[in-house]
Amino acid sequence: MTRLNRPAIFVVESNPGPLELIQQELHKRYAADYNIHYAALPFEALATLSTLREAGAPVATILASCWLEGMGGETFLQLARHLHPQARRVLLTTRGDKSVAQTIIHASAIGTIDAYSSKPLGAADEDFHIVVSQMLHDWVAENRPPYIVARIVGDQWSRRSHELRDLCKRNSLTFEFYDTDSAEGRSLLEESGCPAGPLPVVLLADGQALTDPSNIELAEALDRASIADITGPLPEGVVDVVIVGAGPAGLSAAVYGASEGLSTLVVERVAIGGQAGMSSRIRNYMGFPMGISGGELASRAYWQAWLFGTDFTFGREVAELEVQGDERVLRLADGGEVRARAVILAMGVSYRRLGIQALDELIGAGVFYGSASAEAVAMKGQKVFVLGAGNSAGQAALHLARFAEDVTVLVRADSLLPSMSEYLIREIESTPNVRVRTNTEVVGGGGSYRLEQLVLERNGTRETVPAHALFVLIGATPHTEWLPETVCRTEEGYIVTGRELLEDETPPTEWPLERRPYLLETSIPGVFAAGDVRHGSLKRVASAVGEGSTAITFVHRYLAGD
Ligand SMILES: Cc1cc2nc3c(=O)[nH]c(=O)nc-3n(C[C@H](O)[C@H](O)[C@H](O)COP(=O)(O)OP(=O)(O)OC[C@H]3O[C@@H](n4cnc5c(N)ncnc54)[C@H](O)[C@@H]3O)c2cc1C
């Protein structure tokens, strides 16, 4: 039975034998929850996809054979992408057919396909099903979460509304957002018992209503409701190693620390994943040939570390570090305190501000720093700008393009080439609703309550353009301002470690021991730094992960020897 509001799986295969087998396999597994459409000819398939689009019927995944009558599968998927940009696209190949390798490499490099799979060879071909299931999982995660943990009512364009959406998204908490002006928003406010706010109001699945909650208040309420074990109690004794930050470096240190028998605590002020958690697809991390979303990678690492026995506490910010004999004491912004034998600083970096007051006043109200993933769905049909020329700007633009009407990447230089990976540039070039404006700077902008326009300057000429959102991704600064003077840092704030502490050109530090500092050790013995926060780090997920695990090796050595 076809119901328009059910998502669709769409298959195009011109060869009757494989088509019949695909039909049988998909029908057995997915017919109860999805509408399944089949077509033999690509033009016929495009016409049906177009009709579905006009009817507003969601398409979750499109599978197309490499060889179709009258058109290659890659070309077909490229055309289908215009009609249903959110659908996951899979190229179907014949097992063992090496002649399609170049097509797959090209199609994946320019973002035409999300995955490829061999056509099923017989019943219950799990290799085929795992690809289909993964595509449906990814689509559902973005478009139709199975249950809602939190409903947030607030002003769509207020900074705190944005922060709460971001917090939920990055903690994998499914949420819905309602503007205060909407009928649903008003009715939820009545239901909450606090119609006058203060806003935003968060209604949790167990009925709790929180008015303008802080991160820690929200985390504690989620714990009370047994929805998510986010805050966790602080340990009372001395922990072997405390890790500050749950980005890739911190998570990796947690996995290795706990699995190697150290009592391990991670303190994170926002959510797992750090910057990587904002990335819609990390394509250069080993072991994931078609890429993996940063959120998914972080979530897997979190569960791995947790299963080895790591304790986590989220929504808490470390604000002070003090040395008391053999113990390293970390004080938290909310007043708590943890004592450790060793510490790993993995606080990463955050995006540099634009420094234009009119725009900084609109942060969360159309101006966003770094995170594009929490806002992407809200950008449906909007004119969106991305400022920056690095890989994170490229990824944000491509992710936003799935939802926004058009995306303009603003670049100060005359090309993306020196700063962005070639695969992203190619993907941007082949995405119809993304364009790049080079030699362009943002010099102003504004709007009443939310961003409405930007002032751009190109070769001395200024132009005001209508804009619904600006995502700023223009380089980063490390989160080290809270550390004591005794932690040696560069002028920009990056932490100096290891042998560099003894080199002349670094700022003068007293290394207090006779032994030389271990690799990744800071100027305080027993305090290590890993990932982007460290001077000389490579600013990659893989290197942050490598440094997190390496730091644990030296924590062992420090604990054994000092
Ligand atoms: C949008 C985007 C896309 C990217 N794509 C790629 C990619 O495709 N491939 C790639 O290799 N790299 C990519 N990167 C870079 C990569 O994500 C970073 O190099 C990596 O995340 C660094 O890891 P980290 O653990 O050192 O720091 P971070 O990821 O920055 O994590 C640091 C964590 O520490 C927390 N923290 C900070 N201060 C405190 C404190 N005082 N108390 C408690 N917690 C604190 C922060 O909240 C954060 O969660 C991308 C980055 C971005 C932003």
Side-chain angles (χ1 to χ4, degrees):
M1 186 179 57
T2 301
R3 273 188 266 135
L4 264 185
N5 61 348
R6 291 197 321 180
I9 299 175
F10 205 100
V11 183
V12 201
E13 166 62 277
S14 303
N15 196 338
L19 179 61
E20 198 184 324
L21 198 51
I22 295 168
Q23 270 176 332
Q24 282 169 15
E25 284 304 289
L26 292 181
H27 190 80
K28 272 191 299 187
R29 298 276 172 111
Y30 306 105
D33 298 315
Y34 295 88
N35 295 331
I36 310 180
H37 299 266
Y38 307 96
L41 300 174
F43 293 106
E44 181 193 314
L46 287 170
T48 315
L49 283 170
S50 177
T51 311
L52 289 174
R53 180 192 161 102
E54 277 157 29
V59 176
T61 186
I62 304 172
L63 301 106
S65 171
C66 235
W67 313 108
L68 295 170
E69 237 175 87
M71 188 187 289
E74 186 194 359
T75 313
F76 169 79
L77 287 172
Q78 178 73 339
L79 295 170
R81 177 188 195 177
H82 295 247
L83 295 168
H84 293 274
Q86 284 149 50
R88 296 296 188 265
R89 297 171 296 272
V90 183
L91 196 63
L92 295 175
T93 62
T94 304
R95 197 158 300 200
D97 180 2
K98 294 215 168 68
S99 68
V100 292
Q102 280 312 317
T103 308
I104 292 170
I105 291 167
H106 180 252
S108 103
I110 63 169
T112 304
I113 63 170
D114 294 294
Y116 72 94
S117 166
S118 304
K119 296 171 195 173
L121 283 181
D125 184 334
E126 300 304 336
D127 288 342
F128 169 73
H129 284 296
I130 203 165
V131 176
V132 177
S133 301
Q134 181 69 51
M135 293 297 105
L136 294 175
H137 167 271
D138 291 355
W139 184 87
V140 167
E142 207 161 70
N143 293 276
R144 195 170 283 191
Y147 57 88
I148 300 300
V149 162
R151 285 173 297 166
I152 306 169
V153 189
D155 179 356
Q156 159 97 43
W157 301 103
S158 92
R159 182 189 297 206
R160 190 59 191 151
S161 294
H162 161 64
E163 284 169 359
L164 286 174
R165 287 194 296 262
D166 194 39
L167 185 79
C168 287
K169 172 90 187 170
R170 291 175 57 194
N171 277 299
S172 306
L173 299 169
T174 50
F175 70 96
E176 280 173 351
F177 180 80
Y178 297 92
D179 196 85
T180 5
D181 284 340
S182 66
E184 296 100 321
R186 281 194 296 273
S187 122
L188 281 171
L189 283 178
E190 289 298 330
E191 190 187 309
S192 73
C194 357
L199 295 171
V201 169
V202 181
L203 287 110
L204 297 183
D206 72 333
Q208 290 183 79
L210 313 170
T211 54
D212 190 20
S214 65
N215 289 1
I216 189 76
E217 282 165 350
L218 178 59
E220 281 169 356
L222 289 162
D223 280 356
R224 274 198 303 278
S226 305
I227 291 173
D229 182 12
I230 291 185
T231 44
L234 291 176
E236 283 179 6
V238 183
V239 182
D240 287 335
V241 60
V242 173
I243 298 159
V244 186
L251 288 170
S252 156
V255 168
Y256 283 86
S259 69
E260 291 172 13
L262 299 174
S263 59
T264 305
L265 170 74
V266 177
V267 186
E268 163 58 55
R269 63 179 182 174
V270 188
I272 51 165
Q275 297 165 73
M278 299 176 193
S279 171
S280 47
R281 184 125 67 120
I282 294 167
R283 292 199 40 194
N284 55 357
Y285 191 66
M286 195 196 77
F288 298 91
M290 296 305 295
I292 180 167
S293 86
E296 174 80 17
L297 185 68
S299 162
R300 290 179 187 208
Y302 165 76
W303 287 115
Q304 195 175 7
W306 184 81
L307 283 170
F308 280 126
T310 304
D311 288 319
F312 284 87
T313 180
F314 294 105
R316 287 200 166 105
E317 178 164 1
V318 180
E320 266 179 61
L321 165 68
E322 192 187 314
V323 177
Q324 288 184 5
D326 285 348
E327 289 177 13
R328 309 287 174 258
V329 182
L330 293 165
R331 299 213 174 78
L332 312 184
D334 66 2
E337 181 180 291
V338 279
R339 307 179 87 80
R341 297 169 68 207
V343 170
I344 296 178
L345 302 171
M347 292 94 65
V349 295
S350 63
Y351 277 91
R352 209 166 272 147
R353 289 286 157 93
L354 255 180
I356 299 171
Q357 203 191 337
L359 291 176
D360 278 351
E361 279 167 11
L362 294 173
I363 292 175
V367 177
F368 305 100
Y369 279 86
S371 171
S373 57
E375 298 300 327
V377 179
M379 294 300 136
K380 247 182 201 153
Q382 312 259 316
K383 288 191 177 311
V384 171
F385 290 79
V386 174
L387 179 62
N391 283 354
S392 44
Q395 285 192 356
L398 289 166
H399 185 57
L400 289 162
R402 284 184 184 263
F403 301 90
E405 183 185 310
D406 57 67
V407 179
T408 308
V409 182
L410 303 170
V411 183
R412 208 158 45 167
D414 56 10
S415 138
L416 286 173
L417 242 190
S419 46
M420 195 180 285
S421 295
E422 219 182 302
Y423 78 86
L424 281 171
I425 298 177
R426 275 194 279 159
E427 200 167 335
I428 283 177
E429 282 167 355
S430 69
T431 305
N433 61 338
V434 181
R435 65 190 186 124
V436 180
R437 284 178 71 155
T438 52
N439 297 311
T440 305
E441 281 187 63
V442 176
V443 291
S448 47
Y449 305 111
R450 53 166 290 193
L451 182 72
E452 285 166 347
Q453 72 270 346
L454 287 172
V455 184
L456 307 179
E457 189 173 290
R458 188 169 202 268
N459 302 331
T461 310
R462 290 191 172 197
E463 180 194 0
T464 301
V465 293
H468 295 116
L470 171 70
F471 290 84
V472 184
L473 297 112
I474 49 167
T477 46
H479 293 288
T480 54
E481 62 298 332
W482 58 273
L483 288 170
E485 289 285 296
T486 41
V487 175
C488 175
R489 277 159 282 168
T490 62
E491 257 176 39
E492 299 81 33
Y494 288 96
I495 301 174
V496 180
T497 54
R499 265 209 254 159
E500 275 189 31
L501 286 167
L502 308 177
E503 285 168 9
D504 282 339
E505 66 264 28
T506 59
T509 355
E510 289 288 310
W511 171 249
L513 303 181
E514 255 178 52
R515 71 159 170 84
R516 296 164 78 85
Y518 294 125
L519 194 71
L520 306 184
E521 196 169 25
T522 70
S523 47
I524 299 184
V527 176
F528 296 80
D532 283 12
V533 77
R534 198 181 65 76
H535 174 57
S537 61
L538 295 178
K539 313 286 183 290
R540 290 270 186 283
V541 174
S543 47
V545 166
E547 290 189 12
S549 63
T550 308
I552 288 294
T553 306
F554 291 99
V555 165
H556 282 298
R557 228 177 261 183
Y558 166 78
L559 292 178
D562 287 43

